[in-house]
Amino acid sequence: MPGPKKGTGGHGRRRLSGHGPTPKAQDRPYHKAYVPRGAASGGSRPASGRSAGRASKPSSMGKGANSDWVVGRNAVLEAMKAGLPVRRAFVAEGSDRDDRLREIFKYAADHSLTLLQVPRQELDTLTSGAVHQGIALQMPPYQYATLDDVMAKALTRDDDHGLIVACDQITDPHNLGAIIRSAAAFGADAVVIPERRSASLTASAWKASAGAAARIAVAKVINLNRALEKLSSGGFTIAGLAAEGDEAIPGVNGPLVLVVGSEGEGLSRMVREHCDALVRIGITNSVESLNASVAAAIVLHEVARSRG
């Protein structure tokens, strides 16, 4: 397999034809049927490890962000109803029991969620002085998948329609959550975000995903450009979404990575260089651009439709 190589940002090459014929299952290192060189001719297959050709399973442990807090009566009730994961729930002693707090108590009782009663000063300390109105939820650290995890999942699909959404400079947690929701809705295998200049899976992003963050893997990588190089080497076609893209929405049959940039700046220069193609959405001249999450949803829908 050739080493990593940069794309051309969608100019001067073979357009969205994919990376050629999809290799046979036994020739794809991430596929469960992979046979290392020499094994097919009588050599013994290794007993364990990645070289044995076993698809790696998603890790149950990963690098998680710091615990996130949801405070305030309206926010807590909305978070409960949205299905956010809750590590611990606190109520301050002596809190006025208005209709909203009574509704929170009822919801917690109906869903077997324990509310720990603590002195108000302790809750002030726990939430770093936030205006909590006597109620707060602590979310557990989000357990991110690894890039190898999500590559393995996407490359071992029976339909060969592996799909990963990569986010470049998506700093608004609401946008990130909405992109995760669309990715899950249209059959993507995972979402990839960088460590820097990116929103993380906070309470706001989780809520915006409408629970989809529990159904699709999210991987956090140190460097998005290196991650795209690795994905390209693994057989993925890299398509970047850009207003000036020279191609229509892709219908690539093989594994595909769709890269979504921020609404303001779009894709960064280096990310563009790692794309095999830049694709566009046909919109009227009266609108300069679409919100990043809206644009991602449109493209993901078209990709799913074209693949049947």
Side-chain angles (χ1 to χ4, degrees):
M1 180 180 293
K5 59 182 179 181
K6 292 185 179 180
T8 62
H11 301 288
R13 26 137 212 89
R14 48 193 167 141
R15 305 175 69 81
L16 273 176
S17 56
H19 283 183
T22 302
K24 295 180 180 179
Q26 60 264 33
D27 297 327
R28 295 160 63 180
Y30 286 93
H31 199 283
K32 59 187 177 183
Y34 172 62
V35 179
R37 290 182 180 275
S41 59
S44 59
R45 294 182 64 177
S48 62
R50 182 174 300 277
S51 60
R54 296 177 182 173
S56 62
K57 297 181 180 179
S59 301
S60 59
M61 297 294 292
K63 186 175 182 181
N66 292 329
S67 296
D68 196 23
W69 286 88
V70 180
V71 300
R73 301 187 180 191
N74 287 335
V76 164
L77 183 58
E78 291 176 3
M80 286 178 168
K81 291 182 176 180
L84 270 70
V86 176
R87 182 177 181 181
R88 292 184 296 178
F90 298 90
V91 60
E93 295 175 349
S95 297
D96 294 334
R97 299 202 175 191
D98 60 5
D99 290 343
R100 186 49 51 91
L101 190 57
R102 281 191 286 271
E103 192 174 356
I104 289 172
F105 286 162
K106 184 179 186 305
Y107 190 93
D110 291 344
H111 293 81
S112 302
L113 176 61
T114 301
L115 290 171
L116 303 176
Q117 190 171 4
V118 297
R120 182 171 293 272
Q121 185 176 2
E122 182 177 343
L123 190 55
D124 291 341
T125 301
L126 287 170
T127 60
S128 302
V131 182
H132 50 68
Q133 299 177 307
I135 191 79
L137 302 178
Q138 184 186 28
M139 291 178 59
Y142 183 80
Q143 301 298 320
Y144 291 98
T146 68
L147 186 62
D148 284 345
D149 288 339
V150 300
M151 284 182 68
K153 180 178 179 181
L155 289 174
T156 54
R157 285 175 54 154
D158 293 336
D159 59 7
D160 198 35
H161 285 173
L163 177 60
I164 291 175
V165 179
C167 296
D168 179 31
Q169 305 181 95
I170 302 295
T171 56
D172 184 341
H174 296 90
N175 267 344
L176 175 60
I179 290 171
I180 291 171
R181 183 178 185 180
S182 294
F186 294 112
D189 298 289
V191 174
V192 174
I193 62 174
E195 284 190 353
R196 300 179 60 188
R197 300 192 68 185
S198 173
S200 297
L201 255 295
T202 60
S204 295
W206 189 286
K207 181 180 174 184
S209 79
R215 301 191 300 272
I216 185 171
V218 179
K220 180 178 281 190
V221 297
I222 296 175
N223 186 295
L224 183 59
N225 293 302
R226 292 176 184 168
L228 293 177
E229 289 177 356
K230 186 170 185 176
L231 287 161
S232 180
S233 296
F236 288 84
T237 297
I238 315 295
L241 182 57
E244 71 280 12
D246 54 6
E247 299 193 33
I249 295 173
V252 177
N253 287 325
L256 174 67
V257 175
L258 175 66
V259 191
V260 182
S262 66
E263 181 178 356
E265 299 181 19
L267 299 174
S268 62
R269 180 183 61 83
M270 289 295 291
V271 166
R272 288 169 182 264
E273 292 181 0
H274 284 84
C275 291
D276 294 308
L278 297 180
V279 299
R280 68 181 185 278
I281 298 174
I283 58 177
T284 64
N285 293 331
S286 61
V287 178
E288 291 185 4
S289 63
L290 295 173
N291 174 276
S293 60
V294 172
I298 292 172
V299 176
L300 286 166
H301 173 267
E302 286 301 306
V303 170
R305 185 185 61 80
S306 68
R307 290 178 162 188

